[in-house]
Amino acid sequence: MKKFLLPYAILCILLLAACNTTATPGGGNSNPATTVHMNDSAFTPDVITIKKGDTLTLVDDVPVIHVIQNGRWDSNGTQRPGAESGAPTVQVQFNGDDQQSVGPFNTAGTFHLYCTIHNDMNLTVIVK
Ligand SMILES: [Cu+2]
């Protein structure tokens, strides 16, 4: 009886391994659930919900410089720099057609990032 069980067990392990590989995209950090794109003056999406511990990937899709840091533009067009409690410190420059990771976001809450160059270029990161 045991002779029949061993190959079956191996097959199960192989199937599990295959499933794990499919569920977790390997290589690169292009998980759409944690990726925000930037055009010449806006984030897409401009609100993203991620999980605690996630790292955000920001992708600059155009040949335009962006400088992203903690804070936001208020409704009067004034920069309000500053990190919320529990926010990772973000200070990254994009030179165009490039991407960078920010985080990890290890604390649940709502965090604001903005581009110091482009008026009203705000990103809200909700961490659950
Ligand atoms: Cu910008």
Side-chain angles (χ1 to χ4, degrees), residues 26-49:
N29 200 349
S30 54
N31 183 354
T34 56
T35 300
V36 172
H37 292 264
M38 297 180 286
N39 62 20
D40 53 3
S41 63
F43 291 102
T44 308
D46 62 1
V47 180
I48 187 167
T49 302

Side-chain angles (χ1 to χ4, degrees), residues 14-100:
L14 287 176
L15 281 173
L16 278 172
C19 284
N20 275 340
T21 310
T22 320
T24 312
N29 200 349
S30 54
N31 183 354
T34 56
T35 300
V36 172
H37 292 264
M38 297 180 286
N39 62 20
D40 53 3
S41 63
F43 291 102
T44 308
D46 62 1
V47 180
I48 187 167
T49 302
I50 62 174
K51 295 195 298 279
K52 214 190 291 188
D54 278 351
T55 297
L56 204 59
T57 302
L58 300 180
V59 182
D60 188 354
D61 291 317
V62 292
V64 171
I65 293 174
H66 297 288
V67 177
I68 310 302
Q69 65 178 41
N70 300 89
R72 63 187 177 84
W73 293 93
D74 72 13
S75 54
N76 295 319
T78 304
Q79 296 188 26
R80 302 290 180 192
E84 297 87 354
S85 173
T89 299
V90 176
Q91 176 71 60
V92 286
Q93 175 166 337
F94 295 82
N95 294 314
D97 296 316
D98 54 352
Q99 68 177 60
Q100 297 192 55

